[in-house]
Structure formats: C-alpha cells, structure tokens
Amino acid sequence: VVNLGTGRTATAISSMQQHVCALLDNASVKCWGQGGDGQNGQEKNHHRGNDAASNNSMTTLPGINLGTGVTATAIGTGRSHSCAILDNASVKCWGRNDKGQLGLGDTNSRGKDANTMGDNLPVVNLGTGRTATAIAGGYSHTCAILDNGAVKCWGRNNKGQLGIDSTDDIGDGSGEMGDSLATVNLGTGRTAIAIATGDLHTCVQLDNYSFKCWGQGSSGKLGIGSSADMGDASGEMATLTSIDL
C-alpha cells in the first residue's frame, strides 16, 4: 500500500498522467510522481515515490503548504498541474502554467521554486462572490463547478475544451479571469452537478442527470454521433446536444 504517513488515510484521490494527489483524513494533500513542473507542490523539482532516497521517498513526503490556517476539501489533477478546493471554498492550483492552467493571469509555474506555495500562492479568481464546489484538470486546462452550479474553465483551448465558443487560451494573461471569464453555456436553465476532464475535452453531468461533453471530438469521445470538435466556434455550445444514453 502507498505510505501516506503514520496513521494517515485517504478520502479522495486524483491522477491524470504523470503524478497522483491524495486528500488525507486530516484534510491535508500529498502528491507524488513526476515533479519537474512543481505539480507535487514541494517547492522542488524532485520526483517523489520513485526510490528510497531521502529526497524522493514517500516516508519523508510532507503535506502541501496551502496557506496559513487552510485545509483542502477536494482535489483535481491535470497532466502537470494540481488544484485543490480549500475549506473556505476558494481554489488554489500549482505546477505547470504554460497555458494559464493555474488561472492566475500569467504563465509562471508554481510549486517547484522556493516561496511559491503557501500564502505566496494566490487563489484563483472565479468572479465576484463565487466559490467552487468541484474541480477537474485536463492536459493543460482546468474546470470548476461554482457554488451557483455554473461552470468555468481556463487554460489551453485549442480544441474548444473551455466551452467558450472560441479557441482562445484563458488565464495566461491579466484581466482574463474573475468576472471576465465567461461561464460555459450548459443550456437554458441548466446547471452542473459533476465534472470530469480528458486531455482535450470536458464533460459534465447536469442537474437533470443528462450529460454534455465539449472539446476534441475525435474517436467519438463527445458522444454526439460525430468526431467534430465542439465549443471551438461561435454558437456551438448553445446547440450542443446531451449524450443519448
């Protein structure tokens, strides 16, 4: 079994491609695997869990510093980045940030250099008065369900995986987050209750228990009877059909 620390157990786990994060029973977070982009949140670029050396082993792996007096309630991982919903319902993300997947208005990675975690790691601006209830990470994008059931996504958008009817990356420049970040058009009166992300696509379960997916459509992964990408051009989200289950 994975060594999570003396007396520690896990309540949730997330993995994308190169690393794993677990939410522990004391509401701390530990991540292991590839760490070259800071996705393990240790302010180092060490991999963790790959040998018994003191700087790589699980036995010496500390919980991630999320900031003074805060703990985590949910986690989500992308290919080389990680996110947590905190106990105050705000969101923090760390790791690779070349496409704005951390949602901080720049392309600076966090978590591999000193003084980039803890109180120095900003929260993601989700909009005035908005908090998060669920979060998921893709190859280089991140999506969250907000407290009002809306969905917002940021990061890489080459296939429409952000669901904003364009291919513009979001979160990599100033002024793109917060109230400026559009919510995904889920359909008239619809809200989201669950979310999941693939490399280049995103899926939600809606409040009527139907499902919608958008982004890269190759191999039929959107479940709409075609291989077309959706969410990358004007008007596509408004006409996006639910998956016929």
Side-chain angles (χ1 to χ4, degrees):
V1 298
V2 177
N3 185 348
L4 297 175
T6 303
R8 295 276 68 88
T9 57
T11 61
I13 196 163
S14 180
S15 178
M16 182 62 175
Q17 288 188 350
Q18 299 179 335
H19 73 297
V20 182
C21 290
L23 177 62
L24 305 187
D25 60 307
N26 63 353
S28 66
V29 174
K30 288 188 174 184
C31 300
W32 60 93
Q34 188 178 76
D37 291 302
Q39 57 265 54
N40 292 335
Q42 296 300 317
E43 296 185 341
K44 300 175 182 178
N45 61 1
H46 293 154
H47 307 326
R48 298 304 293 247
N50 61 328
D51 61 42
S54 61
N55 66 341
N56 293 77
S57 71
M58 294 296 292
T59 57
T60 58
L61 179 62
I64 291 172
N65 182 357
L66 297 172
T68 304
V70 296
T71 56
T73 62
I75 52 174
T77 53
R79 177 182 182 271
S80 299
H81 72 289
S82 310
C83 296
I85 299 177
L86 306 183
D87 57 344
N88 59 6
S90 64
V91 170
K92 286 190 173 185
C93 298
W94 59 93
R96 190 171 184 174
N97 193 34
D98 59 321
K99 299 296 183 180
Q101 55 264 51
L102 303 189
L104 300 177
D106 59 39
T107 55
N108 300 323
S109 297
R110 269 84 167 179
K112 69 175 181 178
D113 297 320
N115 302 315
T116 57
M117 295 297 293
D119 293 336
N120 292 318
L121 180 63
V123 298
V124 177
N125 185 350
L126 298 174
T128 304
R130 296 274 69 90
T131 56
T133 62
I135 195 157
Y139 189 93
S140 297
H141 77 290
T142 308
C143 292
I145 299 178
L146 306 186
D147 57 299
N148 60 356
V151 171
K152 287 190 173 185
C153 300
W154 56 92
R156 190 182 187 191
N157 193 33
N158 60 318
K159 296 294 183 178
Q161 56 264 48
L162 303 189
I164 55 174
D165 287 337
S166 80
T167 55
D168 297 332
D169 294 345
I170 298 293
D172 58 344
S174 62
E176 294 181 344
M177 296 295 294
D179 293 335
S180 297
L181 178 59
T183 58
V184 176
N185 185 345
L186 300 175
T188 303
R190 296 274 68 89
T191 56
I193 60 175
I195 193 163
T197 48
D199 273 2
L200 300 173
H201 73 292
T202 306
C203 295
V204 293
Q205 184 180 23
L206 302 179
D207 58 309
N208 62 357
Y209 301 102
S210 65
F211 292 85
K212 285 187 175 183
C213 299
W214 58 89
Q216 187 182 56
S218 60
S219 302
K221 60 177 67 74
L222 303 186
I224 56 175
S226 79
S227 59
D229 297 343
M230 295 297 293
D232 60 338
S234 178
E236 289 186 344
M237 292 302 297
T239 61
L240 179 63
T241 59
S242 298
I243 297 173
D244 184 357
L245 300 175

